[in-house]
Amino acid sequence: MEMAEDWPEPIVRVQTLADDGAVPERYIKPPSERPDLNPVTALATGSLPVVDLAGLSGGAEERLATMLAVSGACRDWGFFQVVNHGVSPELMEGMREVWRSFFQLPMAEKQAYANSPKTFEGYGSRLGVKKGAILDWGDYFFLQLSPHSIRNYDKWPVLPASLRAMTEAYGEELEKLCGVIKKVLSATLGLDEGFLHRAFGEAGACVRVNYYPKCPQPDLTLGLSPHSDPGGMTVLLTDHNVKGLQVRKGDDDWITVEPVPGALIVNIGDQIQVLTNATYKSVEHRVVVNAATERLSVAFFFNPNDDLPIQPAAELVTPEAPPLYKRLTFKEYKLFMRMLGPGGKSHVDLVKST
């Protein structure tokens, strides 16, 4: 599967459409895929399970309770919020503000970092390269963080002046947090704490800053279509003023997430679903947009090494629970999202064993 060098059509920045009176046809979803934003008929907002990671530093009983809370959230939701996670409120707010300032720069400043489907790094406005695809109502900025050797500083904005240092500092703290969560997930599978560390190899990390401009007809479109994340795990820094993330619960229900102040949202990615032989599953989620105001979020993706084969762990495979997925490297797997765009759970279905 070869990645395209260029986008199939000229890129339109969604931010330039925000003040129009109607959503262009390219962004209008089929009726069955449109969000229900009616406050009477839509499902109520809900809080994901909240885990206080301070319990990991407590006594044996408190540590066990914390680990069981993580395990339960992964099995029941695929998502959970963490508090006392070690990332300072000042750093979290600094990331929100510095990237919000970037998206308010003149368009010419942002266009200097326009991305291509070859690497996705830089300023973007679409996922997938299918010509004529229905697009999502959002712009983004994507950067590689780890390993340090793959950073392309030509794609890192020079303005605002504090953006680079802020993003590097945030990335370092999030990698530490993901290291803690890896150990917890490994232990709750009944394996040694180093299992996921070995399975990931020299892990990769990247960040996508999502910018969802206000939308004249939010009931016709989505900021990001339903998908599960292709990597290992995701840690999301949400907009604390505007809700938008929705998580699928059951077959048809979409729950609008109510962020807990100061929390970060963690979700399981497809690679952990494969490694755990579906003990822990990635879950579909999507983003709705707002008629009155913009929304910004920062997604930190923590992934296995590109070149390591990923397959169900031998320790989790038995005659009663045979391997559900084929062996594939993350480099091969992530091309599904880059070429096809968001597609519910269809990407992980492509690697199911026959």
Side-chain angles (χ1 to χ4, degrees):
M1 191 185 302
E2 291 293 327
M3 195 63 241
E5 295 280 346
D6 298 302
W7 300 112
E9 298 139 330
I11 293 294
V12 176
R13 302 304 178 189
V14 177
Q15 195 173 4
T16 66
L17 306 174
D19 292 322
D20 292 351
V23 171
E25 186 176 355
R26 286 296 308 276
Y27 299 88
I28 297 177
K29 305 296 181 183
S32 62
E33 298 177 17
R34 296 174 192 171
D36 183 358
L37 302 180
N38 186 319
V40 176
T41 58
L43 289 173
T45 58
S47 179
L48 299 173
V50 179
V51 179
D52 185 348
L53 293 184
L56 295 175
S57 302
E61 187 174 334
E62 191 176 3
R63 178 175 171 80
L64 178 59
T66 303
M67 295 174 71
L68 290 175
V70 171
S71 178
C74 289
R75 293 172 191 271
D76 296 341
W77 283 86
F79 274 79
F80 55 100
Q81 303 195 59
V82 291
V83 296
N84 290 316
H85 41 63
V87 184
S88 74
E90 294 78 15
L91 186 54
M92 293 165 65
E93 186 58 28
M95 275 294 283
R96 291 186 184 103
E97 291 307 312
V98 76
W99 279 102
R100 197 180 300 277
S101 295
F102 170 80
F103 282 101
Q104 297 305 326
L105 290 173
M107 186 57 67
E109 293 274 1
K110 299 189 289 258
Q111 283 290 99
Y113 303 100
N115 73 348
S116 78
K118 185 69 175 177
T119 67
F120 271 74
E121 279 199 273
Y123 181 43
S125 296
R126 69 176 292 169
L127 298 170
V129 294
K130 182 181 178 182
K131 190 172 183 178
I134 299 174
L135 302 177
D136 289 333
W137 192 266
D139 301 320
Y140 64 85
F141 206 101
F142 180 81
L143 288 174
Q144 297 281 1
L145 298 179
S146 294
H148 195 281
S149 60
I150 68 171
R151 290 188 188 179
N152 178 7
Y153 281 109
D154 290 340
K155 285 293 187 182
W156 287 59
V158 297
L159 294 175
S162 61
L163 184 146
R164 290 190 180 190
M166 185 76 68
T167 303
E168 288 181 322
Y170 183 77
E172 290 170 5
E173 293 304 306
L174 267 287
E175 286 200 55
K176 293 176 188 175
L177 174 60
C178 288
V180 171
I181 296 172
K182 271 196 306 183
K183 291 180 179 179
V184 173
L185 295 179
S186 297
T188 56
L189 290 166
L191 306 173
D192 71 90
E193 286 189 347
F195 163 69
L196 283 177
H197 177 74
R198 295 190 300 274
F200 274 47
E202 184 183 16
C206 50
V207 65
R208 188 178 69 221
V209 184
N210 305 298
Y211 181 79
Y212 305 105
K214 65 180 182 179
C215 178
Q217 297 169 295
D219 56 326
L220 297 182
T221 189
L222 288 166
L224 189 56
S225 292
H227 66 287
S228 59
D229 290 343
M233 72 178 84
T234 304
V235 183
L236 184 71
L237 175 64
T238 64
D239 191 312
H240 48 50
N241 295 316
V242 187
K243 294 188 286 288
L245 174 65
Q246 293 188 327
V247 174
R248 187 186 285 277
K249 185 66 171 168
D251 293 333
D252 301 307
D253 294 342
W254 289 99
I255 306 297
T256 301
V257 173
E258 184 74 55
V260 171
L264 292 165
I265 297 175
V266 179
N267 65 278
I268 298 299
D270 293 345
Q271 301 309 296
I272 286 183
Q273 176 169 329
V274 171
L275 283 164
T276 66
N277 208 31
T279 301
Y280 294 152
K281 295 179 182 178
S282 59
V283 171
E284 278 184 85
H285 49 288
R286 67 183 187 182
V287 175
V288 296
V289 289
N290 192 286
T293 188
E294 67 189 21
R295 179 175 177 270
L296 182 137
S297 67
V298 182
F300 179 88
F301 302 108
F302 191 71
N303 303 320
N305 182 278
D306 265 4
D307 298 316
L308 274 184
I310 301 297
Q311 61 189 352
E315 300 92 328
L316 301 176
V317 171
T318 67
E320 296 75 31
L324 300 177
Y325 306 102
K326 295 178 285 190
R327 176 185 173 109
L328 204 68
T329 67
F330 181 54
K331 178 185 286 186
E332 295 168 318
Y333 186 88
K334 66 186 177 182
L335 288 179
F336 296 143
M337 175 68 85
R338 293 189 173 187
M339 293 192 71
L340 305 175
K345 291 281 289 182
S346 63
H347 299 163
V348 77
D349 288 343
L350 292 172
V351 296
K352 281 185 175 179
S353 298
T354 53

